[in-house]
Amino acid sequence: LNHNSKAVFQHYFGWWSGVPETYHRLPHEVTASKYVEAMGGPEAVLKRGEAAFGSGNYRWAAELFNHIVFTDPTNEPARQWLASAYEQLGFQAESGAWRSYYLAAALELREGVPDVGDPQLGNQDFLKAVPTLDLFDSLAARFKPETFKRDPFVLAFEFTDTEETVAIHVGPSVVVPRAGRPDDPVATVRTERDVFDRVLLGQLDFRVQAVKGTIGIEGDVLAVRAFLRSLDRPDFWFPIATP
């Protein structure tokens, strides 16, 4: 109820609470050290957190310990106390998602970010069910502007098996996919959707398929290459309890 009611509120009213101070808050990586300093330093905050934990006020304890961890992620006592607070909050959580996040955060604080390889979560059958425009929207979210060194351009991706065409507007800081063929693309990529899916999954190499002819490129090949190279592949494992 707590989790979903907030989601419903944000869906209809947005993220803003109505208090002007929350419009443009500083990130927690910046404010954490200021809170710790204002409360007398890490030792003083640690004592307050321990007292809150001892009285069963785990939510307040977690907030206090979290300020210390975001000020100094190497502060081992704060990490251990925060892990214990998260653990207690996880045990009490009604939501399965909350419980999992709390306990995963506790594990990270005690043992570090997991490093058990890079799981391949891609599934060809799953991708096949994703609408083509939605697929390109997901690729747009991976666009890394700092790796893009060209003036803006427009590409066209034509899928011969599904008879779909998607226009890719590549700008200096954003990629915008739109359904339909653009008026003046710098290059057109023609292939089957299944081939493109397998390229995204890493099962096929784009350049090899271009040589074989299963992927055809008409126009500026370097523009296509620049677009594909600008798509970042984020690490699967990342910190959730530390900055």
Side-chain angles (χ1 to χ4, degrees):
L1 180 62
N2 193 319
H3 187 105
N4 292 348
S5 60
K6 293 171 185 173
V8 171
F9 183 91
Q10 289 202 350
H11 176 75
Y12 288 106
F13 298 101
W15 58 269
W16 187 46
S17 67
V19 179
E21 184 271 334
T22 62
Y23 258 144
H24 196 201
R25 277 186 164 177
L26 291 167
H28 189 48
E29 289 87 343
V30 175
T31 60
S33 60
K34 299 182 183 299
Y35 277 114
V36 170
E37 181 183 0
M39 286 188 282
E43 292 302 321
V45 179
L46 195 66
K47 289 181 180 179
R48 291 174 182 265
E50 291 175 11
F53 187 95
S55 65
N57 196 347
Y58 303 119
R59 292 163 63 189
W60 177 232
E63 187 169 343
L64 290 169
F65 296 136
N66 192 53
H67 283 316
I68 305 175
V69 170
F70 267 71
T71 299
D72 177 14
T74 65
N75 189 313
E76 193 60 28
R79 291 176 68 99
Q80 295 301 321
W81 275 109
L82 181 56
S84 296
Y86 281 155
E87 194 169 54
Q88 293 301 317
L89 290 170
F91 292 159
Q92 297 177 19
E94 177 185 16
S95 163
W98 284 25
R99 183 179 192 277
S100 296
Y101 267 99
Y102 279 132
L103 299 184
L107 184 66
E108 176 192 316
L109 289 162
R110 288 171 176 153
E111 300 183 10
V113 178
D115 183 14
V116 290
D118 187 9
Q120 176 55 264
L121 299 181
N123 180 285
Q124 192 172 350
D125 291 332
F126 173 80
L127 275 191
K128 188 183 300 182
V130 175
T132 301
L133 190 59
D134 291 344
L135 179 64
F136 277 95
D137 280 338
S138 71
L139 293 180
R142 291 169 48 188
F143 181 59
K144 194 173 183 179
E146 57 267 32
T147 65
F148 184 71
K149 306 299 182 183
R150 291 182 51 131
D151 291 333
F153 55 74
V154 181
L155 300 175
F157 279 77
E158 294 184 358
F159 296 100
T160 56
D161 54 341
T162 62
E163 298 182 348
E164 294 175 290
T165 301
V166 177
I168 309 297
H169 299 260
V170 186
S173 58
V174 68
V175 168
V176 180
R178 299 188 187 282
R181 181 171 179 80
D183 293 332
D184 190 22
V186 298
T188 299
V189 179
R190 293 188 181 91
T191 187
E192 294 182 354
R193 171 63 196 274
D194 178 68
V195 172
F196 189 68
D197 288 350
R198 294 174 66 190
V199 167
L200 295 180
L201 291 171
Q203 298 173 358
L204 296 177
D205 183 89
F206 187 92
R207 288 174 295 180
V208 172
Q209 297 308 306
V211 171
K212 287 183 176 181
T214 54
I215 295 178
I217 303 176
E218 177 183 311
D220 190 346
V221 176
L222 294 180
V224 178
R225 184 180 301 174
F227 166 64
L228 295 175
R229 285 181 173 177
S230 69
L231 300 179
D232 188 27
R233 181 184 175 93
D235 294 333
F236 180 83
W237 302 105
F238 57 90
I240 62 174
T242 54

